[in-house]
């Protein structure tokens, strides 16, 4: 396996770490969005992290769609879906891997 692919696998594994906190909460409370939002914004530091993640995701989407045209990255919907389902911790490394593959393919 190439170094870039090993790095992608490592980053994908690391992107699942936040679920070590979310899955136990989900098992205990189920899909209770009202409770989720109340607990997320219960403290100023929680709100800070929530806003930080949302702003990071939006910045990633701008980057993805800008680079789609500049580098001609295909299937940009994959990192967008990965970000919406898992988070920036998956969407960003996935997009950077896809982008690098396009750059390597266009280098002579």
């Amino acid at each position: 396996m190439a170094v870039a692919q090993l790095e992608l696998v490592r980053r994908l594994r690391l992107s699942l770490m936040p679920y070590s906190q979310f899955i136990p909460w989900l098992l205990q409370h189920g899909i209770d969005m009202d409770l989720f939002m109340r607990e997320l914004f219960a403290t100023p530091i929680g709100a800070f992290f929530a806003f930080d993640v949302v702003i990071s995701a939006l910045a990633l989407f701008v980057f993805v769609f800008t680079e789609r045209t500049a580098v001609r990255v295909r299937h940009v919907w994959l990192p967008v879906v990965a970000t919406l389902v898992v988070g920036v911790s998956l969407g960003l490394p996935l997009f950077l891997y896809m982008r690098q593959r396009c750059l390597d393919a266009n280098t002579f």
Side-chain angles (χ1 to χ4, degrees), residues 9-67:
V9 169
R10 185 183 71 81
R11 289 182 186 200
L12 294 177
R13 283 196 348 234
L14 290 173
S15 72
L16 298 177
M17 287 181 69
Y19 278 95
S20 69
Q21 300 303 306
F22 180 62
I23 289 176
W25 185 92
L26 189 62
L27 292 173
Q28 181 179 2
H29 301 289
I31 301 175
D32 186 345
M33 290 307 292
D34 184 51
L35 178 62
F36 179 79
M37 295 305 276
R38 277 186 288 143
E39 288 191 5
L40 182 62
F41 290 96
T43 64
I45 198 69
F48 163 76
F49 280 106
F51 285 128
D52 185 58
V53 169
V54 169
I55 290 168
S56 297
L58 293 174
L60 175 60
F61 295 160
V62 169
F63 179 55
V64 164
F65 288 106
T66 301
E67 289 295 291

Side-chain angles (χ1 to χ4, degrees), residues 19 22 61 78-88 90-91:
Y19 278 95
F22 180 62
F61 295 160
L78 282 169
V80 171
V81 170
T83 301
L84 294 173
V85 173
V86 175
V88 177
L90 177 60

